[in-house]
Amino acid sequence: GAFAAGAGIYGAARRETGGADEEFGVMRAGLSTVLLMQVLGNLGTIKIILTKLTELGAAGAEIGGLQTVIFFFTGIGKLLGGQPLPLYPGDWYWLPSRAIPGEPITEFPFFTFLYGDPHAHLFALPVTVLALVWMVAMLRRSDLVERTGFAGGIGSIAAGALIIGALIPTNTWDTPTYLLLAVALLIGTGLVKPLFRFRFGNNVRAKKVLSLVFSVLLLCGLTFLFYLPYLRTNSRETGINVWQGDRTPLWSYWMHWGLFLFAIISWYAVETVAWMRAVRYLDFRKFLREKRALLAAAGLFFVCALVFCTVRQVGIGWTALPLMVWSGLLMMRRGTPAGKKALYFLAGTGLFITLFVEFFSLRGDLGRMNMVFKLYLQAWVILSIPAAAGAVFCAERISARGDDHPVSGLAGIWQFLAVILLIGTASYPVVASADKIRDRMSTIAPHTLDGMAYMQTSQYFQDGFLMDLAEDYDAIRWMQDTVAGSPVIVEGNATEYKWGSRFTVYTGLPGVVGWNYHQRQQRGAMSDQVWRRVDAVGAFYNSADLDEKAAFLREYAVGYIIVGQMERGMYAAEGIAAFSAGDGVFWDLVYRNGDTEIYQVR
């Protein structure tokens, strides 16, 4: 998907058609998109090396001022002398995903797949790229109606609606972004060449407007119509708040987006120089005179926006805003291929997303953790396409010049910086993958695709007691092989990031309640109900009254009761002993292995 999107839009952006050179450029653009989108990381690995070398040299002393440089070189000496960097297991792969100080999450696709946390944002990534591929296909098929007719146009928009609408149940955050991108694409291409040709009337402009409105309404309408059953049965009360907390430091912004920004700025500079060379001075003066009022208003607005960012301490505005304006100016250039305009628009959109999270947060979020998290991933996917294409355009421009060209020195500097940034970002998948492979609960666990195999050789210490996870492994496998249908199960409710909800996780069977905070976060209007269930589970296991236990089982339609090592460690002994007393009356013992018992409710 990444290759298709990058290669397709690059091909649409080139003026030339055919020839081996263009085919090679298309191949490079596709591969570069794959690298930037899916393989390379941010520059967080470089930051780890710099900071940890300094900490190693400081040996606990306060770091600051000129001493930082001394500590850094001292750290290099200690490292060469055999002292390891002060790193915890997991730091190599974890710290770069927290590029912004505080609570924001700055994941990128390679981290997401490496960490293997099956959240919505992971499963949505292929769908978002497929949506971009559809947009590129629509961009390149501007003659769609002439070849397929009215029905073909409807079919293509219906395909886009099916893809973009799939994001509603997959990862709702992505829906508005990619739907707005698609709408902008339809408007942009429709202004040049209408997608639908209506036969009635002679007013060409009216037909064009009608085609635009019809295309947009059809896409938006089908997007929600196709997934109406889901929308009718799934909802969440939330909202957007104005963010008043800490902002992203400029160094964090460049650490995370450095390679993308370098590629885009370099490409924009090349395009601007070429534009200026093609414009006659007299024509430029004439343009300034004719558009004086408009340019003055735009300039004033831009200055006010920069001042506003400065007052609100949004330092990244001095990077994002000029680049957004630059994108808009390049889009205005006459004769620019539709593919290049689309690249400029994608770049401006990605930059806008990174600026948006500086001013807004999700209501009920932990600060702006998930706002940055979800939208930064969107920006990464979107920006990787113009960054990759821009890098290829720059490389082509450099290779087209001879060594005796007066800017060959500048080209050499560009190549040097590009290599440094590539090394910095390519180091992440190398060191992070090795670190993730070493970061294991059990060092003797087999290397296998079985996601439960580690439990057979693992122990877990929680809340003052030690558990042999092999018992849970055997019991879970028994449930997987034996239990039919989808009966509700009840198990001990541990706090987040502990050995909780393990039976529901590994069997897929419904439980009385999952992770407390995650359930309340995802169901804000039902927070009180979640708390009641959490308290009810604790009371169920602690109570020695069999009638109280039976009432709980009836209220939540429980089919199976888990009494394992975790439940015995968490709850009152008399409450646990009551399960044996109720055996054969309210429930039946159907599984026992060591300290683990499973009861089936009568």
Side-chain angles (χ1 to χ4, degrees):
F3 183 92
I9 201 167
Y10 171 87
R14 285 194 59 151
R15 286 183 176 276
E16 302 83 7
T17 55
D21 182 56
E22 182 187 3
E23 186 175 337
F24 180 62
V26 168
M27 182 69 69
R28 286 202 299 185
L31 292 175
S32 298
T33 305
V34 172
L35 284 173
L36 265 68
M37 186 187 294
Q38 296 173 249
V39 179
L40 301 180
N42 60 15
L43 296 169
T45 304
I46 303 300
K47 179 178 180 291
I48 292 176
I49 294 172
L50 295 176
T51 55
K52 295 303 178 181
L53 280 173
T54 305
E55 291 176 10
L56 182 63
E62 185 176 350
I63 300 173
L66 291 176
Q67 284 185 315
T68 303
V69 179
I70 299 173
F71 289 150
F72 172 73
F73 286 105
T74 305
I76 293 177
K78 289 183 177 181
L79 183 67
L80 295 175
Q83 291 193 36
L85 290 175
L87 288 164
Y88 289 101
D91 279 355
W92 284 115
Y93 70 81
W94 181 264
L95 294 179
S97 71
R98 302 300 188 272
I100 302 174
E103 78 285 334
I105 299 172
T106 55
E107 279 195 26
F108 41 90
F110 192 91
F111 172 89
T112 300
F113 283 97
L114 178 67
Y115 197 60
D117 198 0
H119 273 235
H121 65 279
L122 183 150
F123 293 117
L125 281 169
V127 185
T128 61
V129 177
L130 181 60
L132 290 170
V133 171
W134 172 80
M135 294 179 207
V136 174
M138 293 294 289
L139 179 72
R140 297 199 59 164
R141 295 177 65 188
S142 58
D143 59 341
L144 177 68
V145 176
E146 295 176 357
R147 294 192 287 115
T148 62
F150 195 85
I154 291 180
S156 291
I157 287 185
L162 189 68
I163 296 167
I164 296 171
L167 292 169
I168 298 172
T170 308
N171 187 32
T172 312
W173 287 79
D174 291 327
T175 308
T177 299
Y178 288 92
L179 183 58
L180 288 173
L181 272 176
V183 167
L185 169 81
L186 290 178
I187 293 174
T189 55
L191 289 173
V192 179
K193 196 169 187 178
L195 182 62
F196 296 101
R197 303 259 179 98
F198 295 99
R199 300 184 182 278
F200 55 85
N202 297 318
N203 191 320
V204 177
R205 181 174 294 181
K207 286 184 180 182
K208 185 178 288 189
V209 172
L210 182 61
S211 174
L212 283 176
V213 173
F214 181 73
S215 301
V216 171
L217 290 180
L218 183 65
L219 176 68
C220 296
L222 291 179
T223 296
F224 295 104
L225 181 64
F226 286 156
Y227 296 89
L228 192 59
Y230 177 86
L231 290 168
R232 281 178 171 173
T233 54
N234 292 268
S235 63
R236 179 186 172 189
E237 295 181 12
T238 187
I240 301 295
N241 292 333
V242 176
W243 176 245
Q244 304 290 352
D246 295 334
R247 313 294 182 177
T248 302
L250 193 57
W251 64 264
S252 290
Y253 190 73
W254 277 86
M255 185 184 81
H256 191 70
W257 301 109
L259 181 60
F260 294 87
L261 295 174
F262 172 77
I264 291 171
I265 291 172
S266 302
W267 177 42
Y268 281 12
V270 169
E271 292 292 327
T272 303
V273 169
W275 187 8
M276 292 299 99
R277 284 177 177 167
V279 175
R280 294 190 308 168
Y281 176 70
L282 292 178
D283 292 339
F284 185 63
R285 285 189 61 185
K286 181 181 177 182
F287 171 78
L288 291 179
R289 285 197 305 269
E290 293 177 352
K291 306 294 183 181
R292 181 168 48 195
L294 179 62
L295 292 172
L300 180 62
F301 178 80
F302 176 65
V303 171
C304 290
L306 283 179
V307 171
F308 179 74
C309 287
T310 304
V311 172
R312 297 297 299 271
Q313 297 181 325
V314 181
I316 72 163
W318 286 85
T319 296
L321 271 175
L323 285 176
M324 289 166 57
V325 172
W326 204 351
S327 302
L329 290 174
L330 289 170
M331 288 178 65
M332 295 168 58
R333 183 184 179 185
R334 290 181 181 177
T336 301
K340 274 191 177 179
K341 289 184 177 181
L343 286 170
Y344 298 145
F345 184 77
L346 285 176
T349 301
L351 292 163
F352 173 79
I353 291 173
T354 65
L355 192 59
F356 182 84
V357 300
E358 300 298 309
F359 295 99
F360 300 98
S361 62
L362 183 71
R363 186 180 304 157
D365 197 2
L366 287 175
R368 57 179 183 137
M369 174 190 287
N370 288 288
M371 179 65 83
V372 173
F373 176 15
K374 299 283 191 175
L375 268 62
Y376 259 43
L377 261 178
Q378 292 178 7
W380 189 284
V381 172
I382 292 170
L383 284 174
S384 63
I385 298 175
V392 172
F393 278 121
C394 288
E396 287 179 345
R397 183 62 59 93
I398 291 173
S399 63
R401 301 175 183 273
D403 294 335
D404 56 343
H405 196 277
V407 297
S408 59
L410 188 61
I413 295 174
W414 184 87
Q415 290 173 318
F416 174 77
L417 293 175
V419 169
I420 294 298
L421 290 172
L422 278 173
I423 292 173
T425 53
S427 61
Y428 179 82
V430 176
V431 298
S433 299
D435 194 26
K436 186 68 169 69
I437 291 169
R438 289 192 301 266
D439 189 14
R440 298 166 64 81
M441 180 179 287
S442 169
T443 57
I444 61 173
H447 292 78
T448 171
L449 294 179
D450 180 1
M452 287 177 56
Y454 74 97
M455 296 165 62
Q456 295 174 291
T457 56
S458 297
Q459 292 183 321
Y460 189 77
F461 185 80
Q462 173 179 305
D463 298 332
F465 56 92
L466 185 67
M467 293 177 282
D468 179 4
L469 300 190
E471 279 197 19
D472 278 347
Y473 175 86
D474 293 335
I476 290 168
R477 287 305 304 268
W478 178 85
M479 293 198 77
Q480 290 174 341
D481 295 337
T482 306
V483 175
S486 297
V488 178
I489 62 177
V490 60
E491 57 186 315
N493 187 261
T495 53
E496 284 75 12
Y497 300 101
K498 292 183 179 178
W499 189 241
S501 301
R502 77 275 197 205
F503 277 81
T504 52
V505 165
Y506 286 105
T507 64
L509 297 175
V512 175
V513 64
W515 279 24
N516 183 345
Y517 177 71
H518 274 189
Q519 295 299 326
R520 289 185 289 113
Q521 186 185 38
Q522 295 167 14
R523 297 170 174 82
M526 303 169 68
S527 182
D528 290 342
Q529 295 183 44
V530 175
W531 273 118
R532 283 200 297 271
R533 285 178 178 239
V534 170
D535 294 339
V537 169
F540 168 73
Y541 279 103
N542 283 321
S543 175
D545 190 317
L546 294 180
D547 290 329
E548 288 183 9
K549 288 183 183 290
F552 170 90
L553 299 174
R554 285 193 299 270
E555 181 176 358
Y556 295 107
V558 175
Y560 286 88
I561 307 166
I562 309 299
V563 183
Q565 295 172 92
M566 192 183 83
E567 286 74 21
R568 296 180 188 277
M570 288 180 62
Y571 301 111
E574 56 270 23
I576 297 298
F579 288 108
S580 297
D583 185 20
V585 182
F586 296 101
W587 46 75
D588 297 309
L589 180 65
V590 292
Y591 176 89
R592 174 183 286 162
N593 177 25
D595 292 326
T596 301
E597 298 172 342
I598 299 176
Y599 295 90
Q600 184 175 10
V601 180
R602 288 196 165 191

